[in-house]
Amino acid sequence: MSVRHTGVTTDPVIVRDDEQAACDVREVLDRIGDKWTVLVINELAHGVRRFRRLQRDVPGISQRMLTLTLRRLERDGLVVRTVYPTVPARVEYALTPTGHSLTSVLKAVADWAAEHRHTVIESRARWDSGTGAPGPGVDA
Amino acid sequence: MSVRHTGVTTDPVIVRDDEQAACDVREVLDRIGDKWTVLVINELAHGVRRFRRLQRDVPGISQRMLTLTLRRLERDGLVVRTVYPTVPARVEYALTPTGHSLTSVLKAVADWAAEHRHTVIESRARWDSGTGAPGPGVDA
DNA sequence: CCGCATCCATCACGATACTG
DNA sequence: CAGTATCGTGATGGATGCGG
């Protein structure tokens, strides 16, 4: 375990090795790697939303999955749930600062996708063509 | 976002909205969101690896899952597989440039995890403690 | 309007055994 | 060493119906 002095963080100077980092990534992926979480977060990034609105804006999501997703996000402190005791109960969901900070990461992923999507699709097409011919360079 | 970045435009200059971005994120997550992919990528980020070595260095992975994971990565052009026709066949796996570029994204995720892990764990603990006690400044 | 409960299909994954 | 094939299982998620 080596010690560096990047001084970027306020943490002690012990550097997290990449095995630890990989483990962290897996943890996060276990949270946001499911089918709906990122879509819900993305929608909430636009602002406060009510349940129905979310279900409309996230096409294809079922009530059950929306509820489950929101509960998990709330449990992890990424989303806050506010209930207004009106007659037909009204509930609003909003990102916490922590939740909002996740959008930066999501953006990084989106940027990567935008840049490499074409390459990946191409590679997949070659693979599915049955040919083992790598062609002119696997990557640009 | 950077659409004009790529000179390859079959479409007019359409700006990617965040719904498109969210969709991209989901696609990527479908690839790397599984149990082993990021761990294998992380290992390959260290350098070229043979099958056995990978299985040893990624604790808990089965032969089957390692094969599946590597095949998917190869199909998507993130990993190259090289076979040496020696007597006991020898196979080496390595990240392509595209695959390597993913490590940057993974690092972003790891950084987020490192920074917010504690907060999330805390929030989860509160949630599991039944409820009711909103801690100090969870939300703004 | 909001959300939980139940049933059910699918699939990712693990264990095991076998081949080249 | 480097896989492939097969089977069993738990988790994920969709559909539906009820409750507050």
Side-chain angles (χ1 to χ4, degrees):
Chain A
M1 183 181 299
S2 60
V3 174
R4 283 188 209 162
H5 43 286
T6 58
V8 184
T9 65
T10 56
D11 290 333
V13 282
I14 298 179
V15 163
R16 300 152 28 74
D17 52 45
D18 18 48
E19 296 191 12
Q20 177 60 40
C23 183
D24 288 355
V25 172
R26 284 275 340 110
E27 280 183 30
V28 177
L29 257 38
D30 277 340
R31 299 289 140 191
I32 70 173
D34 69 331
K35 191 170 180 178
W36 301 109
T37 296
V38 296
L39 299 175
V40 170
I41 289 180
N42 181 69
E43 197 52 42
L44 288 177
H46 292 33
V48 177
R49 290 287 184 274
R50 296 181 56 178
F51 190 89
R52 266 297 185 194
R53 171 77 185 276
L54 278 175
Q55 193 176 7
R56 265 183 287 111
D57 290 341
V58 181
I61 195 171
S62 64
Q63 264 185 349
R64 170 188 150 85
M65 290 317 295
L66 181 53
T67 300
L68 284 179
T69 302
L70 287 169
R71 284 302 170 281
R72 281 194 283 249
L73 287 172
E74 194 190 355
R75 183 173 108 105
D76 288 350
L78 305 178
V79 158
V80 273
R81 179 173 175 263
T82 311
V83 182
Y84 297 90
T86 58
V87 181
R90 177 178 139 191
V91 183
E92 285 182 353
Y93 295 92
L95 288 182
T96 64
T98 303
H100 188 75
S101 71
L102 234 190
T103 61
S104 307
V105 177
L106 264 30
K107 187 183 181 312
V109 178
D111 288 347
W112 184 90
E115 190 174 347
H116 298 280
R117 165 206 290 265
H118 182 63
T119 304
V120 170
I121 291 178
E122 221 174 73
S123 173
R124 214 175 296 169
R126 264 197 309 275
W127 179 274
D128 293 342
S129 300
T131 81
V138 181
D139 184 56
Chain B
M1 312 258 308
S2 54
V3 137
R4 32 189 313 171
H5 174 197
T6 70
V8 194
T9 46
T10 54
D11 290 333
V13 193
I14 301 177
V15 174
R16 295 157 30 78
D17 49 41
D18 16 50
E19 297 191 10
Q20 178 60 39
C23 185
D24 287 354
V25 173
R26 283 272 342 107
E27 281 182 29
V28 177
L29 257 38
D30 277 340
R31 299 290 140 189
I32 70 172
D34 70 327
K35 191 170 180 179
W36 301 108
T37 296
V38 296
L39 299 176
V40 171
I41 289 180
N42 180 69
E43 198 51 43
L44 287 177
H46 292 33
V48 178
R49 290 288 185 274
R50 296 179 57 176
F51 190 89
R52 264 297 185 194
R53 172 77 185 275
L54 277 175
Q55 193 175 7
R56 266 183 285 110
D57 289 341
V58 181
I61 195 171
S62 63
Q63 267 181 352
R64 170 187 148 86
M65 290 318 295
L66 181 54
T67 300
L68 285 179
T69 301
L70 286 169
R71 285 299 172 282
R72 280 193 285 249
L73 287 171
E74 192 189 357
R75 184 174 105 105
D76 287 351
L78 305 179
V79 158
V80 275
R81 177 172 177 267
T82 311
V83 182
Y84 298 90
T86 56
V87 182
R90 174 177 141 190
V91 183
E92 285 182 350
Y93 294 91
L95 288 183
T96 63
T98 303
H100 189 75
S101 72
L102 234 189
T103 60
S104 308
V105 177
L106 264 30
K107 188 183 181 315
V109 178
D111 287 347
W112 184 91
E115 191 174 348
H116 298 280
R117 167 205 289 263
H118 184 64
T119 305
V120 170
I121 291 179
E122 222 174 70
S123 173
R124 212 176 297 169
R126 263 197 310 277
W127 178 275
D128 293 341
S129 307
T131 173
V138 176
D139 187 16

